[in-house]
Amino acid sequence: MSSSVSARLVRLLNMVPYLKANPRITYAEAAADLGVTRKQLQQDLDQLWMCGLPGYGPGDLIDFEFSGDTINVTFSAGMDEPLRLTSPEATGLLMALRALADVPGVVDPEAARSAIAKIESAAGAVHPTGAVAAEPERAPAESEAAAAVREAVRSGHAVRLEYYSASRDTLSERIVDPIRVVLVGDHSYLEAWSREAEGVRLFRFDRIVDASVLDEASAPPEPALQGSTDTSLFDSDPALPAATLRISPEAAWTLEYYPMRVLRELPDGHFEAAMTYASDEWMARLVLGFGAEVTVVEPAELAERVRRAAHAALGAYAEAG
């Protein structure tokens, strides 16, 4: 979890007790006390408005009254009292944290292990049955590159990245100014100002081959720091070609691994999915690697390229045999 995400989580947890203790406080006063801009305060309130107790209906969610320029908590959902986890709740939380810690790049392993240790200590490491929990296995160590990126974010330093671009099948080196670590889907990304592209870019942790923290301070432009994370980068780029693929049930895992959009599920269990790509050569190699489990429906030019490459490969095998 990035330092910015951690700071916001702590602020959100403290915000309801703070507002309860300061009824009808103004936006300006609350923003100043909490050390945030009015825009960020409004975003935090919008987030809290969607939080609450199981049921998540009227009377379950945190509620506010906004009168003029003041804020007043009308229902706290218990967030103004110390949190007390039941044994089943603590066990469920521990299981979720251990699962996250086992996925490289999703969270900071050290932070996850620290949270696990604290919960186990508070709960006495007891299962709902009353049995003492077994000593958990240590989560796999984070890669040196990922650890360096997190250190650069924490210390506010620029970082030199060696990055693998899956869509272009190339390695590139660039210097970036880190902004924050964000979680999108099941992957952690470094959001940073790319000096080469002169814009904000997202770099997926498991595609950062190497990272070196530089002596110079990170200095992204102020608008980049204040702006919210732009996840439109994950949408299809209309400037890139798109392929329609027919995917067998055995290869359905590719729908989660690659940036695809499912168009429809066919009666025989196959899927049709759309995928954008930057290089015909790279896309043809990708499809060939799946054999008969993934085929190109369109464009026809790509399908013909795959067909020719497959015939050439079969011919080479025949000659070798």
Side-chain angles (χ1 to χ4, degrees):
M1 185 181 293
S2 70
S3 57
S4 60
V5 173
S6 299
R8 189 183 185 204
L9 176 59
V10 171
R11 187 172 68 249
L12 288 171
L13 291 173
N14 289 328
M15 188 175 287
V16 174
Y18 164 80
L19 293 173
K20 285 285 287 184
N22 298 274
R24 304 201 177 280
I25 192 170
T26 66
Y27 278 88
E29 292 170 330
D33 286 349
L34 295 168
V36 296
T37 63
R38 176 165 178 149
K39 179 182 177 181
Q40 182 62 64
L41 175 63
Q42 186 62 61
Q43 291 176 345
D44 288 346
L45 291 170
D46 291 342
Q47 181 73 51
L48 284 169
W49 221 336
M50 296 183 288
C51 302
L53 302 172
Y56 307 107
D60 300 319
L61 301 178
I62 295 170
D63 203 1
F64 301 96
E65 176 190 358
F66 303 105
S67 178
D69 194 46
T70 63
I71 310 164
N72 192 45
V73 178
T74 56
F75 180 63
S76 66
M79 285 188 64
D80 52 346
E81 300 175 358
L83 176 64
R84 291 183 176 86
L85 295 175
T86 65
S87 183
E89 288 172 339
T91 301
L93 185 57
L94 283 171
M95 291 176 64
L97 280 169
R98 287 170 183 161
L100 282 174
D102 287 337
V103 181
V106 173
V107 296
D108 183 343
E110 289 303 321
R113 285 194 285 267
S114 175
I116 289 170
K118 290 175 181 176
I119 295 172
E120 286 182 333
S121 175
V126 176
H127 283 297
T129 59
V132 177
E135 181 69 21
E137 296 182 4
R138 289 184 62 83
E142 190 167 47
S143 71
E144 291 183 5
V149 168
R150 294 191 192 278
E151 175 57 32
V153 174
R154 280 192 292 264
S155 62
H157 284 78
V159 62
R160 178 181 285 107
L161 298 180
E162 186 176 352
Y163 189 73
Y164 170 68
S165 173
S167 62
R168 291 177 173 80
D169 194 23
T170 58
L171 278 173
S172 63
E173 185 175 291
R174 66 193 80 190
I175 294 176
V176 303
D177 296 292
I179 299 173
R180 61 181 69 90
V181 175
V182 296
L183 187 65
V184 181
D186 293 329
H187 296 283
S188 286
Y189 291 81
L190 169 66
E191 183 180 3
W193 177 264
S194 172
R195 298 182 183 180
E196 178 186 53
E198 296 186 345
V200 176
R201 296 292 185 268
L202 293 175
F203 302 95
R204 208 169 103 173
F205 263 52
D206 59 356
R207 292 178 182 165
I208 298 174
V209 178
D210 193 22
S212 303
V213 182
L214 304 181
D215 289 335
E216 56 186 291
S218 174
E222 190 62 28
L225 284 172
Q226 296 299 326
S228 58
T229 302
D230 183 9
T231 56
S232 65
L233 296 172
F234 295 90
D235 299 336
S236 297
D237 184 345
L240 294 177
T244 300
L245 306 176
R246 181 183 172 91
I247 301 170
S248 72
E250 292 75 19
W253 59 270
T254 60
L255 300 171
E256 300 292 335
Y257 190 80
Y258 294 97
M260 298 184 188
R261 178 168 55 88
V262 177
L263 301 176
R264 59 180 179 141
E265 184 174 357
L266 303 174
D268 61 0
H270 284 66
F271 296 88
E272 280 193 1
M275 179 177 176
T276 57
Y277 57 97
S279 163
D280 287 347
E281 181 182 0
W282 178 86
M283 191 65 184
R285 286 206 312 271
L286 177 70
V287 173
L288 283 168
F290 295 112
E293 292 183 350
V294 177
T295 56
V296 178
V297 178
E298 56 183 26
E301 297 81 2
L302 179 62
E304 180 59 29
R305 186 181 189 121
V306 172
R307 189 178 298 110
R308 288 198 307 268
H311 282 305
L314 289 173
Y317 276 115
E319 290 178 8

